[in-house]
Amino acid sequence: MAESLTMKGAANSPDADIGNLVCSSPVTTAPLAESEATELARILAALADPVRLRLLSIVASSPEVCSCALEGPLAKSQPTISHHTKVLADAGIITGEKRGKWTWWHANPDRIAAIRKALGG
Amino acid sequence: MAESLTMKGAANSPDADIGNLVCSSPVTTAPLAESEATELARILAALADPVRLRLLSIVASSPEVCSCALEGPLAKSQPTISHHTKVLADAGIITGEKRGKWTWWHANPDRIAAIRKALGG
DNA sequence: TAAACATATCGACGTGTGTCGATGCTACCA
DNA sequence: TGGTAGCATCGACACACGTCGATATGTTTA
């Protein structure tokens, strides 16, 4: 069977419109509410790490990537890779699917687009 | 006189094309080089704070905003506001202009657009 | 069932960061 | 010239975060 590993916690609001997935209006348009700022900061913090940015760029460049294919290019230990994939998944930026022994990761373009939109896109 | 307070350090590359101000190609397109990932992470880290996001949203919503007009809405001490404006300015996201006693801040839309572009825009 | 493999979790360590009081510096005003 | 206002810097503190070895969990294979 395939089990889905996605974001959890406050980020997992099922009724959120895909356009306003992160903020109701862009940062450049109107003063942000405190709750929106906290939520957007949480998601941006998930991206604000060189290892995670490279991890995302590798995952987003392929349909899906196995965890074991990340350890080499990123030159980090297995627990560290697992930690970073979890952070990105909790932020909803990537999603992991467990098939057999392996976990396959793929990017969530909609969420990334929502982040861009929150930044004034 | 008016003195300009902008970003400094590696971010201040005068010959950088405005389109590729942050990365040569979007995170979603191709694996990121280590240097590009480090630089983009530094800029995203400047945004990944709720106080700074609200600060930016206030500054970006007006042509320019005085430092003294930030202390109230953000409910932080004067040294803390000064710290956050410096972080955003070092990342090139806002620019400060000192006129008389006051420092006036305004957003840098080009840089914010470059960040969006680095995120796949 | 036992062994091997992929991944997640735990615990610990060093480092980075947000915060603020105290202080310093510059510009304006009486 | 003395006083005040706006802002930057310094020093210190608490907390969060990236990292990895050790260990646990679950899956495949012999």
Side-chain angles (χ1 to χ4, degrees):
Chain A
M1 67 287 164
E3 179 190 356
S4 178
L5 295 76
T6 79
M7 51 196 172
K8 68 182 178 185
N12 196 7
S13 45
D15 55 348
D17 183 6
I18 212 165
N20 302 331
L21 205 51
V22 180
C23 288
S24 59
S25 71
V27 185
T28 51
T29 300
L32 232 55
E34 197 157 346
S35 59
E36 287 182 329
T38 302
E39 176 62 13
L40 180 55
R42 220 194 89 237
I43 297 173
L44 287 175
L47 284 175
D49 178 272
V51 176
R52 285 196 289 270
L53 281 176
R54 296 183 63 213
L55 196 161
L56 173 61
S57 72
I58 294 173
V59 169
S61 301
S62 293
E64 56 182 5
V65 174
C66 172
S67 284
C68 56
L70 295 170
E71 207 164 324
L74 296 177
K76 297 291 172 185
S77 72
Q78 179 268 321
T80 299
I81 301 295
S82 183
H83 165 68
H84 286 307
T85 51
K86 179 175 166 51
V87 172
L88 286 173
D90 285 349
I93 299 168
I94 64 174
T95 302
E97 193 181 340
K98 203 163 188 177
R99 289 202 303 266
K101 287 198 294 187
W102 297 278
T103 303
W104 297 90
W105 300 97
H106 56 87
N108 293 342
D110 293 344
R111 178 128 259 230
I112 300 174
I115 298 172
R116 282 200 311 269
K117 193 165 185 176
L119 256 43
Chain B
M1 67 286 158
E3 178 189 354
S4 178
L5 294 77
T6 79
M7 51 195 172
K8 68 182 179 185
N12 197 7
S13 45
D15 56 349
D17 183 6
I18 213 166
N20 302 329
L21 205 51
V22 180
C23 289
S24 60
S25 72
V27 185
T28 50
T29 300
L32 234 54
E34 196 157 347
S35 59
E36 286 183 329
T38 302
E39 176 61 14
L40 180 55
R42 219 193 90 239
I43 298 173
L44 287 175
L47 285 175
D49 178 271
V51 176
R52 285 197 289 271
L53 282 176
R54 296 183 63 213
L55 197 161
L56 172 63
S57 72
I58 294 174
V59 170
S61 302
S62 293
E64 56 182 5
V65 174
C66 172
S67 284
C68 56
L70 295 170
E71 207 164 324
L74 297 177
K76 296 292 171 184
S77 72
Q78 179 269 321
T80 299
I81 301 295
S82 184
H83 164 69
H84 286 307
T85 51
K86 178 175 166 53
V87 172
L88 285 173
D90 285 349
I93 299 169
I94 65 174
T95 302
E97 193 181 339
K98 203 163 187 176
R99 290 202 302 267
K101 286 198 295 185
W102 297 278
T103 304
W104 297 90
W105 300 97
H106 56 86
N108 293 342
D110 291 345
R111 178 121 258 226
I112 299 174
I115 299 172
R116 282 200 310 269
K117 193 165 185 174
L119 257 42

